Amino acid sequence: MRTLRGSTIWLAAMLVYLLFSAQRCGATPCATSGQSQTSRWRVYIDREHHFCFRYPTSYAPTSHPKAGWRGPKLEDKKTGANVEVRVMNEEFRPDALVRMAPTGIDSPPEALQIGKNTFRYYGPGGGGVTYADVYYFDLRGKILAIGFDGPYENDKTPTSDTKQIERKVLESFQEF
């Protein structure tokens, strides 16, 4: 009786494991319904760090990321706007992000709920220069930074069109 119960538990555990594994392997990261506004957008997948997001088809990967950014850069050649991605090998702590703040800001970045995720946001600082909008995310204890840089029109922050793209990109963000 004891052996039968142990075998049944073991078999049930194996079935659950196989079902979960099959779903993970078969699932496409960042899949969307055909009705989504971003369903025709390209998908950026970082298999090393297990996250993905969608980005507009007008953007294309470039091989020359901005100085200090080790990750990819996605650039819209027509407008000059770009999205830069960086995973930092340091512990995510909102108070530690202050060192990355734009000039004139000395507090942790604002928490924003976008889609299913909470991002920390720094926008424009002082000093009269342009600043990318940067969103920080706690990626399993590490810092993930996603920056939206330009274009800038008579302001030190990206345009309203870029801000609309930011929201859609971040809403599509998923960990897997």
Side-chain angles (χ1 to χ4, degrees), residues 53-74:
F53 58 83
R54 295 184 157 289
Y55 62 95
T57 56
S58 60
Y59 286 68
T62 66
S63 58
H64 304 291
K66 184 177 175 180
W69 289 75
R70 294 179 295 276
K73 179 178 173 183
L74 308 169

Side-chain angles (χ1 to χ4, degrees), residues 79-154:
T79 66
N82 60 69
V83 179
E84 296 167 327
V85 180
R86 171 173 54 165
V87 176
M88 298 192 245
N89 197 18
E90 52 188 282
E91 181 185 0
F92 182 92
R93 289 188 353 265
D95 60 310
L97 297 173
V98 173
R99 69 180 174 77
M100 295 177 245
T103 304
I105 297 177
D106 58 3
S107 59
E110 174 186 1
L112 295 175
Q113 184 73 31
I114 301 176
K116 297 177 183 177
N117 299 297
T118 301
F119 294 88
R120 297 290 182 144
Y121 167 74
Y122 276 135
V129 296
T130 57
Y131 290 93
D133 285 347
V134 182
Y135 296 83
Y136 298 94
F137 181 76
D138 183 350
L139 186 66
R140 289 178 289 285
K142 292 182 179 179
I143 299 170
L144 168 64
I146 303 175
F148 297 86
D149 193 11
Y152 303 94
E153 292 178 5
N154 301 319

